[in-house]
Amino acid sequence: MAPLMRLVRTQSLRVPQRWARGYSSTTEPRSAHSQWYASMLPGMIPVALLGSAVYLGLQLLRSQLDHEKFLDEAREQVRQLEEEVDRLQQERALQRPAVSSSPNPASKWWPW
């Protein structure tokens, strides 16, 4: 009975040969596609990583330069608006004494 149990036990643990897939078996020739991918893919990974790093770096640089350009344009616009405000304040200061020297009879009717 013991040899029978040993036979059953070893037979149940074995995987039938037709279901087993031999990845490293040299008995079957590799297809041309699998051979090409096996030879090219390991070399393509560093190229893809380097290309992605360069692309992302250039995108970051472009973003920073675009932001700097926007800030320069915004500063120039603010400078122009400040000059216009200063010019208008000077014009207002020059016109104010002329307006205050003329008597306004309508202001006597309103106490505030």
Side-chain angles (χ1 to χ4, degrees):
M1 188 80 161
L4 184 59
M5 289 301 286
R6 194 169 72 192
L7 180 64
V8 169
R9 209 177 301 154
T10 57
Q11 288 293 332
S12 65
L13 293 179
R14 285 190 187 165
V15 178
Q17 188 64 22
R18 64 175 185 244
W19 296 106
R21 189 168 185 175
Y23 291 106
S24 63
S25 68
T26 57
T27 58
E28 296 178 13
R30 295 173 79 176
S31 69
H33 286 92
S34 66
Q35 191 173 9
W36 186 81
Y37 281 116
S39 65
M40 293 300 290
L41 192 62
M44 290 169 61
I45 292 174
V47 172
L49 290 175
L50 181 64
S52 297
V54 168
Y55 176 77
L56 291 174
L58 289 174
Q59 283 289 342
L60 179 63
L61 180 65
R62 180 178 177 260
S63 175
Q64 288 178 343
L65 290 175
D66 191 36
H67 184 66
E68 282 185 28
K69 180 181 174 185
F70 171 76
L71 288 178
D72 290 343
E73 290 173 355
R75 286 185 190 118
E76 180 63 27
Q77 187 177 6
V78 166
R79 187 188 61 76
Q80 289 175 356
L81 290 173
E82 286 175 346
E83 287 177 358
E84 185 178 353
V85 166
D86 290 340
R87 183 181 54 83
L88 290 174
Q89 285 178 346
Q90 288 174 354
E91 288 178 6
R92 186 177 182 187
L94 293 174
Q95 291 176 358
R96 187 171 281 178
V99 172
S100 63
S101 64
S102 65
N104 192 357
S107 63
K108 294 179 181 176
W109 294 95
W110 303 102
W112 56 86

